């Protein structure tokens, strides 16, 4: 009840059309020349001091990208993107040697965002009340800080920026990078492969349970910048890791581009839990500005009895195009997808998942809650496939949509393909609005309509919120009520 | 969706384009319908047969399936007619109109002229006579390109127009039977246009049968208008020969306060596809669309449904059951669209598949596209094999495996057949399903 009260107060305290992370940090930055060419790719690679094989890989992707066409099958519409109109690389000028040397402006930015980058404080003060989280902070194109590295190293966990991993752990990177999302997987993934600037790399060794939650925080600051991050997480046999990801961007009139690739590899008996709270700037109340979010996320349950779980809370971005997927290759592997996608204003969301059952006795579960308000369009698009040899594959899918207002749209497009008799697939979807009875019940107990909606929506998404780690759940709950601001009355 | 494919025609497509040209010259039709036919021919020449890159045909690659384009069946002979009269499905108490190899068999048909409020006329004579009913051809066609329908329109000629006068209650079902009897492959095209006027009530049956082992093709299209307050039951039985290709298009418009119930039973053809385009044009109507598909061997059957709630306060229910034995392949694609302002829409869609064969495949794609907020819509889809516990229960009581299976399959399919209101028809459908099971065993 306390959390609900908090939500209600939050709703009350905010104006319509307010995005609290919309500030700009004024720091000097160094950018690649505007536009995209082989030179841009070479520039990025050189900036990162990358080995030759990496540059070759990037150039190969760039050449393939030139031959590819932008996909148009998603239910989103936006003016044609001029890929030459973006900066593909931007980094803060001063390079920090250690956490203490980070530009105070950047530290202040992360403080404002509520992300602690100073280990000291975390160790002294907050430790007793909250669990510690190791953070990799990515500011525009580069990782500016990674906390708790030493402590993680003690457990054998590697947690660093991907550029560092390319230099320090080339064997691991060579073995796994691009093994889940191949170079020419899709238009945006290929673009990412060519120009990705930073992101996180995680390796959990055999049998290790990662001692703390790992987290990456993405921030797009510069004008006209595209952020292309690349995340690679490997859980070796019997390992476990929980990983959180958060994103924000300043309020700007033009559309910024974000095309990320996330690859997860779970070996035998390993488990990866990946949680995202995506709160990129969604554009203003007239639909101006906002982030174009084109993301390829895929997990490969490579070993037997491995498990990958995606949880996402999507409230931001003008356009979301995102389908975190699981390839259930190992026998007995499990995939999960829990999603809350909220769209308001002129936002367009086309999101969902793919569960590809290849191994025997694999199981997957999809719980998707879409909420459309204002003039937004919210689409769930998902695929569940069991291949010939995936005997005893199991899937349960539930996607519910809630419509608030009569100018929005909610759509469901599932593909369910059973190619073996022993597969058991269940799929259900519903679309409805908040019932008059529910509203009446709340109103006659003295809640205002906005409070009532926040309460009912929180109940609607409860199944998914429960899957989030504690701190994220609270954050997500606040975000949900703020996102629905101004949708009633 | 927006995939641009280079227009290289397959041999079959080229043969079809040539055949269309010949047909346009051989069978002239004047006026609006003639215009429509030319437009359809031009559209087919541009777009050709749908293939798997076309979203609606993702699971049924017609360009790959339709490799040969057999000629039109040609004139009717007495022997074929006699054989068809004997072979055609017999619905107790029904008035039957018989099409043999795509041509209307006049002597063997109960052609009715405003008897008790129902009139049925051959399409060609209706067109020639300038009947107002004939002018309804193409009125319910969907906006977007549909390959088989374009071909059906381009080959327009044979068919039937039916009018049920306002407030007429027609007790005897009207049965339009199609039988293919030839030994050589041929293609048949048929168009049926039905108008059920205000407050009228009728049961309509369409059946499709044909010779096994002959790779013939049936392309049928039905345009059915259910006016305000009318009540229509429609049953479609597809038992084509085992080498046939069956392409069907069913277009529906449902007026205000109307009731529409349909049931489609599919067990024939090597490959089949039925596209249903339904649209509510008046409020407070109810539509129940149901079907059962029984496949074995390497059969392929695709049911694709688009239900457009263009106005509010309507209710729709869909239930489709698919039984897949051996290596058969079932497809169900259903889409409920709720337009802006179609408030108080209530739509439920369910697709259930039972996979009996280890390598059988079921592809389900139930879609919701909703632009109004005060609605209740849902869909469900399941796929799985027979419940081991239920089988064990029956076997423990001394029922052999095969029989126990048949019993369970019968119950599974029966859930959908139950909705057929007409007693004799329901019994007939149950009997056909049982016969299918018996043949399999």
């Amino acid at each position: 009840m306390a959390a609900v009260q908090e939500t209600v107060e939050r709703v009350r305290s905010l104006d319509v059309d307010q995005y609290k992370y919309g500030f700009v940090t004024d720091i000097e930055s160094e950018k690649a020349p505007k536009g995209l060419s082989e030179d841009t790719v070479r520039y990025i690679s050189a900036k990162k001091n990358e080995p030759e094989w990496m540059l070759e890989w990037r150039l190969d992707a760039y050449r393939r990208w030139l031959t590819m066409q932008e996909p148009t099958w998603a239910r989103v519409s936006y003016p044609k993107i001029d890929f030459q109109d973006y900066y593909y690389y931007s980094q803060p000028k001063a390079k920090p040697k250690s956490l203490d040397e980070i530009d105070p402006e950047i530290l202040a930015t992360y403080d404002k965002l509520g992300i602690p980058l100073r280990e000291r404080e975390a160790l002294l003060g907050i430790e007793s009340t909250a669990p510690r989280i190791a953070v990799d902070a990515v500011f525009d194109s580069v990782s500016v800080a990674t906390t708790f590295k030493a402590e993680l190293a003690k457990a054998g966990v590697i947690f660093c920026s991907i550029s560092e991993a390319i230099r320090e752990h080339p064997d691991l990177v060579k073995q796994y990078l691009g093994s889940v999302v191949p170079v020419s997987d899709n238009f945006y993934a290929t673009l990412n492969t060519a120009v990705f600037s930073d992101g996180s790399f995680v390796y959990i060794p055999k049998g290790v349970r990662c001692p703390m939650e790992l987290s990456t925080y993405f921030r797009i600051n510069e004008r006209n910048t595209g952020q292309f991050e690349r995340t690679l997480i490997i859980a070796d046999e019997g390992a476990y890791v929980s990983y959180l990801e958060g994103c924000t961007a300043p309020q700007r009139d033009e559309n910024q581009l974000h095309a990320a690739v996330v690859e997860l590899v779970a070996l035998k008996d390993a488990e990866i839990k990946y949680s995202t709270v995506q709160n990129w700037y969604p554009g203003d109340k007239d639909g101006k500005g906002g982030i174009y979010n084109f993301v390829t996320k895929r997990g490969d349950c490579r070993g037997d009895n491995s498990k990958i779980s995606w949880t996402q809370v999507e409230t931001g971005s003008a356009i979301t195009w995102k389908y975190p997927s699981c390839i259930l290759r190992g026998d007995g592997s499990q995939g999960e997808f829990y999603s809350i996608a909220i769209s308001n204003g002129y936002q367009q969301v086309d999101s969902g998942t793919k569960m590809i059952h290849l191994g025997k006795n694999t199981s997957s579960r999809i719980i998707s809650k879409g909420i459309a308000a204002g003039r937004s369009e919210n689409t769930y698009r998902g695929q569940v496939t069991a291949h010939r040899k995936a005997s005893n594959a199991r899937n349960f899918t539930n996607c519910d949509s809630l419509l608030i207002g009569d100018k929005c749209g909610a759509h469901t497009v599932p593909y369910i393909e059973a190619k073996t008799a022993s597969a058991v697939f269940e799929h259900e979807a519903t679309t409805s609005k908040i019932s008059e009875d529910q509203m009446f019940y709340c109103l006659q107990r003295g809640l205002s309509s906005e409070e009532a909606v926040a309460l009912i929506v929180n109940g609607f998404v409860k199944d998914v919120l429960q899957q989030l780690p504690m701190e994220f759940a609270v954050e997500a709950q606040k975000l949900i009520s703020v996102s629905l601001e101004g949708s009633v009355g | 969706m927006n995939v641009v494919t280079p227009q290289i025609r397959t041999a079959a497509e080229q043969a079809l384009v040539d055949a269309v040209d010949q047909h346009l010259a051989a069978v002239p039709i004047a006026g609006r319908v003639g215009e429509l036919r030319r437009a359809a021919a031009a559209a087919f020449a541009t777009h050709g047969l749908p293939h798997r890159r076309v979203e609606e045909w993702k699971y049924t690659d017609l360009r790959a399936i339709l490799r040969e384009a057999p000629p039109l069946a040609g004139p009717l002979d007495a022997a074929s007619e006699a054989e068809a009269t004997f072979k055609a499905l017999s619905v107790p108490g029904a008035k039957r109109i018989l099409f043999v190899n795509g041509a209307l068999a006049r002597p063997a048909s109960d052609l009715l002229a405003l008897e008790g409020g129902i009139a049925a006329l051959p399409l060609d004579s209706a067109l020639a006579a300038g009947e107002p009913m004939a002018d309804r051809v193409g009125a319910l066609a969907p906006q977007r390109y549909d390959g088989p329908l374009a071909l059906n329109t381009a080959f327009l000629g044979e068919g039937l127009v039916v009018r049920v006068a306002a407030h007429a209650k027609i007790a005897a079902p009207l049965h339009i039977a199609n039988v293919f009897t030839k030994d050589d492959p041929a293609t048949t095209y048929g168009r049926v246009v039905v108008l059920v006027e205000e407050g009228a009530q009728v049961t309509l049956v369409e059946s499709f049968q044909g010779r096994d082992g002959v790779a013939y093709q049936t392309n049928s299209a039905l345009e059915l208008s259910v006016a305000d307050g009318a009540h229509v039951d429609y049953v479609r039985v597809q038992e084509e020969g085992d080498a046939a290709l069956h392409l069907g298009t069913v277009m529906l418009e449902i007026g205000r306060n109307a009731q529409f119930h349909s049931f489609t039973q599919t067990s024939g053809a090597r490959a089949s596809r039925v596209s249903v385009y339904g649209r509510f044009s008046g409020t407070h109507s109810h539509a129940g669309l149901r079907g059962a598909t029984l496949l074995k061997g390497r059969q392929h059957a695709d049911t694709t449904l688009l239900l457009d709630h263009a106005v509010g306060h309507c209710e729709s229910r869909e239930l489709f059951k698919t039984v897949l034995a051996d290596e058969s392949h079932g497809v169900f694609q259903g889409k409920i669209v709720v337009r802006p302002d179609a408030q108080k829409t209530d739509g439920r869609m369910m697709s259930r598949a039972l996979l009996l064969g280890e390598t059988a495949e079921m592809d389900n794609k139930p879609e919701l596209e909703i632009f109004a907020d005060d609605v209740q819509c849902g869909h469900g889809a399941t796929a799985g094999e027979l419940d081991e516990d239920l089988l064990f229960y029956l076997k423990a009581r001394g029922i052999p495996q095969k029989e126990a299976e048949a019993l369970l399959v019968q119950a599974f399919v029966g859930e959908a057949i139950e909705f057929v209101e007409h007693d004799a028809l329901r019994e007939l459908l149950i009997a056909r399903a049982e016969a299918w099971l018996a043949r399999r065993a």
Side-chain angles (χ1 to χ4, degrees):
Chain A
M1 201 59 206
V4 173
Q5 191 54 40
E6 208 176 324
T7 306
V8 169
E9 271 157 24
R10 187 116 201 149
V11 169
R12 196 178 289 145
S13 69
L14 280 158
D15 291 325
V16 177
D17 185 32
Q18 182 168 346
Y19 179 70
K20 79 175 216 196
Y21 307 108
F23 59 87
V24 181
T25 310
D26 196 13
I27 56 149
E28 272 193 275
S29 67
E30 195 180 337
K31 284 184 275 198
K34 203 174 194 176
L36 182 56
S37 64
E38 269 197 33
D39 291 342
T40 320
V41 177
R42 286 177 198 282
Y43 177 95
I44 295 170
S45 191
K47 271 282 161 198
K48 299 272 163 197
N49 286 326
E50 283 176 358
E52 192 60 27
W53 59 269
M54 197 64 219
L55 175 65
E56 279 310 314
W57 196 57
R58 284 173 181 276
L59 287 173
D60 175 43
Y62 175 72
R63 284 166 202 145
R64 290 198 205 191
W65 180 76
L66 289 176
T67 67
M68 294 169 91
Q69 279 187 359
E70 223 179 313
T72 53
W73 43 261
R75 180 180 275 285
V76 291
S77 62
Y78 50 90
K80 196 152 175 53
I81 297 171
D82 180 1
F83 288 95
Q84 297 305 333
D85 200 32
Y86 286 97
Y87 290 103
Y88 286 82
Y89 186 81
S90 161
Q91 71 169 37
K93 257 200 178 143
K95 265 200 177 166
K97 290 272 184 304
S98 73
L99 281 175
D100 300 328
E101 286 176 31
I102 296 174
D103 189 329
E105 283 278 354
I106 293 177
L107 274 186
T109 300
Y110 281 94
D111 274 351
K112 266 199 226 177
L113 296 170
I115 314 296
L117 289 186
R118 273 168 285 206
E119 288 177 21
R120 216 177 326 117
E121 279 177 19
L123 288 168
L124 291 175
I126 313 161
E127 193 183 9
S128 51
T129 54
R132 287 168 304 140
I133 300 175
V135 178
D136 181 24
V138 178
F139 197 84
D140 286 335
S141 304
V142 288
S143 167
V144 289
T146 309
T147 60
F148 293 107
K149 270 168 109 166
E151 199 171 328
L152 286 168
K154 248 185 268 165
V157 172
I158 304 171
F159 180 41
C160 61
S161 71
I162 193 105
S163 9
E164 193 180 327
I166 291 167
R167 291 190 301 268
E168 310 287 328
H169 310 282
D171 293 342
L172 279 174
V173 174
K174 261 192 207 171
Q175 188 181 348
Y176 292 106
L177 193 68
S179 73
V180 186
V181 179
V183 174
S184 51
D185 187 76
N186 69 68
F187 184 80
Y188 296 106
T190 310
L191 175 64
N192 174 288
T193 307
V195 300
F196 75 88
S197 41
D198 226 327
S200 307
F201 174 83
V202 177
Y203 174 78
I204 316 288
K206 261 185 204 173
V208 171
R209 193 178 168 88
C210 189
M212 61 180 86
E213 308 253 353
L214 304 182
S215 164
T216 304
Y217 205 87
F218 296 101
R219 172 84 180 161
I220 302 180
N221 189 58
E222 272 303 313
R223 189 174 291 272
N224 277 338
T225 314
Q227 189 177 57
F228 304 90
E229 88 263 5
R230 184 113 195 169
T231 300
L232 175 60
I233 300 177
I234 303 141
D236 212 324
E237 288 180 19
Y240 169 86
V241 63
S242 167
Y243 184 88
L244 320 173
E245 177 197 72
C247 349
T248 57
Q251 238 159 327
R252 294 194 187 280
D253 283 348
E254 68 269 22
N255 298 102
Q256 285 162 294
L257 185 62
H258 175 254
V261 172
V262 175
E263 294 176 282
L264 311 184
V265 180
L267 301 180
K268 191 164 176 282
D269 298 321
E271 180 176 349
I272 302 175
K273 188 173 167 60
Y274 194 103
S275 315
T276 307
V277 173
Q278 185 264 105
N279 186 25
W280 296 116
Y281 176 54
D284 68 8
K285 64 179 193 306
D286 299 318
K288 197 161 193 224
I291 302 276
Y292 290 164
N293 192 27
F294 300 105
V295 177
T296 307
K297 289 188 170 175
R298 197 172 301 155
D300 190 353
C301 287
R302 214 162 275 186
D304 293 351
N305 303 316
S306 54
K307 179 176 175 184
I308 287 178
S309 173
W310 298 98
T311 307
Q312 61 171 24
V313 177
E314 300 279 317
T315 60
S317 298
I319 308 255
T320 303
W321 183 98
K322 180 180 175 188
Y323 315 91
S325 312
C326 295
I327 301 168
L328 303 169
R329 203 184 301 273
D331 291 348
S333 58
Q334 293 177 50
E336 288 178 341
F337 176 74
Y338 297 95
S339 166
I340 302 172
I342 300 180
S343 56
N344 200 351
Y346 282 84
Q347 280 177 273
Q348 302 175 55
V349 180
D350 196 304
S351 182
T353 185
K354 274 188 189 183
M355 292 291 171
I356 299 164
H357 293 259
L358 301 174
K360 292 185 180 64
N361 305 318
T362 49
S363 64
S364 60
R365 167 189 285 264
I366 300 170
I367 308 282
S368 164
K369 306 278 178 182
I371 301 164
R375 289 170 178 278
S376 64
E377 297 286 335
N378 201 324
T379 305
Y380 166 83
R381 188 183 301 275
Q383 184 183 27
V384 178
T385 307
H387 281 254
R388 292 245 182 279
K389 291 186 177 145
S391 52
N392 297 319
R394 292 280 183 279
N395 167 265
F396 174 76
T397 303
N398 173 325
C399 37
D400 295 329
S401 306
L402 193 65
L403 289 147
I404 302 175
D406 56 2
K407 297 282 185 285
C408 50
H411 318 297
T412 317
V413 191
Y415 299 78
I416 307 144
E417 303 166 0
K419 296 189 171 98
T420 170
S422 57
V424 175
F425 286 176
E426 294 169 82
H427 170 99
E428 59 179 17
T430 63
T431 304
S432 56
K433 76 164 193 170
I434 294 174
S435 86
E436 280 161 19
D437 290 352
Q438 286 171 320
M439 279 303 273
F440 178 74
Y441 184 89
C442 295
L443 292 180
Q444 61 124 318
R445 268 155 187 76
L447 295 175
S448 72
S449 7
E450 290 221 328
E451 288 164 354
V453 168
L455 183 68
I456 295 164
V457 166
N458 265 315
F460 178 72
V461 300
K462 192 186 68 199
D463 295 351
V464 177
L465 281 184
Q466 282 169 348
Q467 300 298 326
L468 284 171
M470 186 54 194
E471 310 73 24
F472 255 35
V474 175
E475 174 81 21
Q477 197 175 34
K478 286 177 194 166
L479 211 55
I480 288 161
S481 35
V482 174
S483 298
L484 289 170
E485 267 295 284
S487 62
V488 195
Chain B
M1 248 184 283
N2 298 320
V3 180
V4 186
T5 41
Q7 262 314 301
I8 302 166
R9 284 189 195 137
T10 62
E13 280 173 325
Q14 188 57 49
L16 283 167
V17 168
D18 296 342
V20 166
D21 287 343
Q22 280 172 26
H23 180 77
L24 289 185
V27 187
I29 296 179
R32 194 190 64 86
V33 177
E35 206 51 56
L36 203 69
R37 203 168 61 148
R38 271 193 295 281
F44 181 78
T46 315
H47 301 288
L49 293 169
H51 44 89
R52 63 185 178 79
R53 313 270 319 249
V54 176
E55 183 63 22
E56 290 79 19
W57 293 81
K58 187 177 161 61
Y59 298 111
T60 302
D61 189 340
L62 195 58
R63 193 178 273 181
I65 293 169
L66 203 160
R67 301 298 286 273
E68 304 283 336
L72 290 173
L76 190 56
D77 59 276
S80 297
E81 198 170 324
E83 187 188 338
T85 311
F86 173 69
K87 266 195 164 176
L89 188 73
S90 167
V91 179
K95 299 275 187 191
R96 188 168 77 180
I97 294 175
L98 187 63
F99 283 88
V100 183
N101 306 332
L104 177 65
R106 284 167 205 254
S109 296
D110 305 318
L111 276 178
L112 319 148
L114 273 176
E115 218 174 293
I118 188 165
L121 266 179
L123 179 65
D124 46 4
S125 33
L127 282 168
E131 281 282 329
M133 270 300 292
D135 222 35
R136 299 182 71 90
V137 170
L140 304 188
Q143 291 291 313
R144 62 166 178 225
Y145 175 74
D146 178 302
L149 181 61
L151 278 176
N152 187 286
T153 308
F155 282 103
L156 215 60
E158 285 292 347
L160 200 68
V161 292
V162 178
R163 189 167 72 96
V164 181
H167 306 290
K169 304 267 183 279
I170 311 297
L174 175 65
H175 176 199
I176 302 166
N178 296 273
V179 183
F180 188 88
T181 59
K182 295 180 74 149
D183 293 323
D184 299 316
T187 306
T188 68
Y189 295 92
R191 172 76 61 117
V192 177
V193 180
V194 181
L195 170 64
V196 182
E197 294 183 344
E198 287 81 13
Q201 198 174 334
V202 70
T203 300
L204 182 69
V205 183
E206 273 193 296
S207 65
F208 301 89
Q209 292 161 292
R211 180 159 294 185
D212 281 342
V214 183
Y216 68 96
Q217 297 178 9
T218 304
N219 184 325
S220 121
L222 169 71
E223 295 186 70
L224 175 56
S225 305
V226 182
D228 298 352
H231 185 149
V232 178
D233 288 311
Y234 169 61
V235 172
R236 189 176 209 279
V237 182
Q238 195 267 87
E239 295 179 354
E240 302 272 22
D242 59 12
L245 169 66
H246 178 93
L247 300 170
T249 312
V250 176
M251 295 158 276
L252 289 170
E253 187 174 34
I254 302 166
R256 200 163 183 276
N257 282 325
Q259 294 273 327
F260 174 78
H261 296 277
S262 74
F263 186 84
T264 307
Q265 187 148 311
T266 302
S267 61
R270 165 72 180 78
S272 69
R273 153 88 171 213
V274 178
S275 310
V276 180
Y277 297 95
R279 183 169 170 273
F280 285 102
S281 59
T283 56
H284 299 95
S285 290
H286 175 93
L289 287 79
R290 282 144 190 131
T293 302
L294 304 157
L295 303 178
K296 58 184 176 10
R298 296 176 54 85
Q299 281 182 291
H300 174 109
D302 178 337
T303 303
T304 294
L305 194 81
L306 174 73
L307 197 63
D308 185 352
H309 281 267
V311 294
H313 299 273
C314 285
E315 198 177 66
S316 64
R317 294 286 179 273
E318 289 86 38
L319 175 63
F320 285 83
K321 300 260 187 165
T322 309
V323 178
L324 299 160
D326 310 327
E327 299 165 64
S328 56
H329 183 183
V331 179
F332 175 79
Q333 305 185 96
K335 186 172 185 176
I336 298 179
V337 180
V338 180
R339 304 265 168 202
D341 307 321
Q343 302 293 6
K344 305 281 179 199
T345 291
D346 182 349
R348 296 283 142 85
M349 176 154 48
M350 187 67 184
S351 162
R352 287 185 180 279
L354 192 57
L355 282 72
L356 299 176
E358 189 52 46
T359 47
E361 175 174 348
M362 180 70 198
D363 297 315
N364 261 317
K365 188 183 161 209
E367 271 184 83
L368 292 173
E369 192 174 307
I370 294 170
F371 294 97
D373 64 334
D374 194 359
V375 299
Q376 289 283 343
C377 282
H379 65 220
T382 62
E385 54 189 347
L386 278 176
D387 192 327
E388 282 296 329
D389 292 345
L390 296 181
L391 269 178
F392 178 77
Y393 182 90
L394 291 174
K395 283 196 281 187
R397 270 147 193 80
I399 300 170
Q401 170 87 17
K402 280 281 175 199
E403 255 175 69
E405 263 187 41
L407 212 56
L408 290 173
V409 173
Q410 208 176 310
F412 175 78
V413 175
E415 267 179 17
I417 304 181
E418 258 173 30
F419 285 95
V420 177
E421 271 182 40
H422 195 283
D423 292 335
L425 263 172
R426 190 177 54 244
E427 293 306 320
L428 178 84
L429 291 169
I430 292 173
R432 302 309 274 199
E434 279 173 1
W436 182 85
L437 284 168
R439 274 200 305 279
R440 197 178 94 79

